[in-house]
Amino acid sequence: LNQAKFSPAVFVLRKNIGFSMKIGWIGTGVMGSSMCMHLMKAGHSISVFNRTASKTDLLVKQGAKFCDPKTIAKESDAVILMLGFPHDVRDVVLGNNGILAEMKPNSYLIDHTTSSPQLAKEIHDCAKEKNIFSYDAPVSGGDTGAKAGKLVTMVGGLASHYSFVESLFNVYSIQVKLMGGPGCGQHTKMANQIAIANNMIGVVECLLYGYKAGLDLPELIDLIKNGAAGSFSLQNLGVRMLKRDFAPGFYVEHFLKDIRLALNEANRMGLSLPGLSTASVFYNSLIQNGGAKDGTQALLKTLEQLNNIELPKYD
């Protein structure tokens, strides 16, 4: 990859006239598949890998090439990760067969996984030694945001090459912001998840209270979503709760991972976060009762069980 040829300013100009990059995407799950598809539709040449190969089928049918991670690393101008857990990121990037050892100088490593800020810093330092530009860039918006290309992308890394990766993120994001140096994207996502975790408890308690008070719950959501109680979780996930639709837009097991990462970082900072600790207990209980692969809105079932009630299903 020629650094002058692919300077940020030149890339932005060429992208606007249809320039295509070679992009490798590792991790095509609930959100990653949609994000990758947006890049394909923008005209980029895409190579993909997923441990469950069938999850790449739709992308391959649309023109993506299925490759092993080592080949992706060798051939790509930018490699993008969307994995499940920090240990997955460490293994894929820094493990015995890690991609960092195979990547070209002056290429880009982008991690959309919600992961450890400390790991993001470690990867950045290792990448810097090879003249590879590393950015931690977790996203928020769930499956609906990924499909619509309206994610919020929180970026950590060096400002010097940010405009290059920002051009990619803008393809599937409604807002993108560089929040600071390496690890700051992950710290921003921790703050995001803290707000969501507490809000999810509030949404569930709101619905349980409304039910016991005899209120029409769809009408309740339709009304209060327009006031101070309004939130993404209420308007989108609250409706799914009423339909008893617990299909994952974001897996419970991944959300609990995020909560625990935030609690670990808070502990390192000397912070007490009782609301997040409570959410951790509830989501852990949900997993213990078989809800690991449910969507986060399945928190309803845990609090129903706590109160010995079950909401009716609304069509």
Side-chain angles (χ1 to χ4, degrees):
L1 180 64
N2 185 294
Q3 188 173 10
K5 180 181 177 182
F6 287 89
S7 68
V10 172
F11 172 74
V12 172
L13 174 61
R14 293 189 178 193
K15 177 177 180 297
N16 287 339
I17 60 173
F19 177 69
S20 174
M21 283 183 67
K22 290 183 178 180
I23 297 174
W25 193 290
I26 300 176
T28 55
V30 173
M31 295 176 64
S33 180
S34 295
M35 296 162 71
C36 187
M37 185 67 77
H38 286 299
L39 289 176
M40 289 182 61
K41 290 180 179 179
H44 298 295
S45 175
I46 305 292
S47 297
V48 294
F49 176 81
N50 197 79
R51 286 179 297 186
T52 304
S54 61
K55 291 186 177 181
T56 67
D57 286 350
L58 179 60
L59 294 166
V60 171
K61 287 179 181 178
Q62 295 298 317
K65 181 171 66 171
F66 185 88
C67 299
D68 62 88
K70 184 177 289 189
T71 301
I72 286 175
K74 288 179 178 179
E75 296 182 352
S76 300
D77 302 321
V79 178
I80 303 176
L81 310 179
M82 188 64 164
L83 306 174
F85 296 88
H87 64 80
D88 296 321
V89 176
R90 178 177 292 279
D91 183 56
V92 168
V93 178
L94 302 175
N96 292 334
N97 296 305
I99 61 172
L100 191 61
E102 306 293 338
M103 291 178 66
K104 299 179 289 187
N106 298 315
S107 59
Y108 289 74
L109 176 60
I110 297 162
D111 186 15
H112 281 314
T113 314
T114 300
S115 184
S116 161
Q118 306 312 311
L119 178 57
K121 293 177 184 178
E122 181 183 350
I123 290 174
H124 173 269
D125 291 342
C126 293
K128 185 178 179 181
E129 294 178 0
K130 293 177 59 64
N131 202 27
I132 292 167
F133 310 114
S134 176
Y135 288 85
D136 51 288
V139 297
S140 183
D143 61 330
T144 55
K147 290 174 183 176
K150 294 183 177 181
L151 294 169
V152 171
T153 303
M154 317 157 202
V155 190
L158 301 180
S160 55
H161 290 79
Y162 170 65
S163 60
F164 188 101
V165 296
E166 183 185 30
S167 296
L168 294 180
F169 301 155
N170 280 335
V171 173
Y172 42 77
S173 305
I174 194 171
Q175 187 172 7
V176 182
K177 188 175 288 291
L178 180 65
M179 296 300 294
C184 286
Q186 297 296 352
H187 278 304
T188 304
K189 184 60 182 290
M190 295 300 100
N192 183 83
Q193 301 304 72
I194 291 166
I196 290 174
N198 283 278
N199 185 230
M200 285 295 291
I201 294 174
V203 170
V204 172
E205 291 183 345
C206 160
L207 296 179
L208 293 178
Y209 180 90
Y211 172 70
K212 292 294 286 186
L215 300 177
D216 183 308
L217 296 187
E219 291 294 330
L220 174 64
I221 290 178
D222 190 58
L223 179 63
I224 69 173
K225 71 181 183 183
N226 298 310
S231 69
F232 176 92
S233 295
L234 177 68
Q235 186 167 345
N236 293 279
L237 300 183
V239 171
R240 293 190 191 185
M241 291 177 196
L242 296 187
K243 294 179 179 179
R244 304 202 71 80
D245 173 8
F246 302 122
F250 191 68
Y251 288 119
V252 165
E253 62 180 352
H254 290 168
F255 192 48
L256 182 59
K257 173 263 298 183
D258 296 354
I259 290 172
R260 288 173 172 169
L261 282 171
L263 286 171
N264 287 339
E265 287 298 315
N267 183 62
R268 193 176 61 84
M269 298 173 184
L271 283 175
S272 176
L273 302 177
L276 190 64
S277 296
T278 301
S280 177
V281 171
F282 287 156
Y283 275 107
N284 184 62
S285 175
L286 180 56
I287 286 178
Q288 295 305 312
N289 284 282
K293 298 295 185 182
D294 285 341
T296 53
Q297 69 274 19
L299 180 64
L300 174 67
K301 294 190 286 188
T302 296
L303 273 74
E304 285 179 330
Q305 186 177 28
L306 183 64
N307 288 281
N308 196 32
I309 60 174
E310 181 176 308
L311 301 188
K313 181 179 179 180
Y314 293 83
D315 295 325

